[in-house]
Amino acid sequence: MSATVRAIVVACILVAGGCSSPGVRSLQQTGPAEPAGVSAGAIERGRLLTSTACAGCHATGSTGDSPLPDATPLREIVRRYPMNRLEEAFAEGLVTTHPAMPGYIFRASEIDDIVAWLETLEAEQ
């Protein structure tokens, strides 16, 4: 399977049941202390990015239910998939066949910040 196809498959799984929210939902709790070698600023930027781009449908914090019951909380996604596969999916652009999920394309710096946040969620597991 090519890297692009693999990234699309991972992205589809990642965003299953996802959607975009027209407004920003309330921010969820932050995760644990920063992972080694990751700045607190990167973690906070990643938390803010996921709270604006993902929280309309997915639980983005260390606790709580997703606003949409079929949208997997991010903390569960990081348990299911290796971080390098998730990072690749973000780099390729989150493309899905789910009609409610818009395609997302993040800049490299945003991907680094999102991964920093996701690593805090992964560390809690």
Side-chain angles (χ1 to χ4, degrees):
M1 183 182 314
S2 75
T4 301
V5 171
R6 202 170 38 249
I8 291 170
V9 169
V10 170
C12 289
I13 293 167
L14 174 67
V15 298
C19 72
S20 178
S21 174
V24 176
R25 305 280 176 139
S26 62
L27 300 178
Q28 297 175 354
Q29 296 178 356
T30 60
E34 58 196 68
V38 178
S39 76
I43 293 168
E44 179 61 11
R45 288 188 304 272
R47 185 186 69 78
L48 290 172
L49 278 166
T50 60
S51 72
T52 57
C54 310
C57 299
H58 298 272
T60 60
S62 58
T63 62
D65 296 329
S66 293
L68 289 182
D70 292 337
T72 306
L74 296 185
R75 66 184 173 277
E76 291 181 26
I77 292 169
V78 299
R79 263 197 323 239
R80 294 179 190 173
Y81 304 100
M83 194 59 65
N84 63 336
R85 287 183 61 199
L86 295 174
E87 187 172 6
E88 182 179 306
F90 284 117
E92 295 286 330
L94 294 177
V95 179
T96 179
T97 58
H98 191 284
M101 178 67 194
Y104 284 106
I105 298 176
F106 296 101
R107 294 188 308 263
S109 61
E110 292 173 323
I111 294 168
D112 291 342
D113 294 342
I114 291 168
V115 168
W117 171 247
L118 295 177
E119 285 175 339
T120 68
L121 298 177
E122 182 181 45
E124 283 191 355
Q125 305 304 316

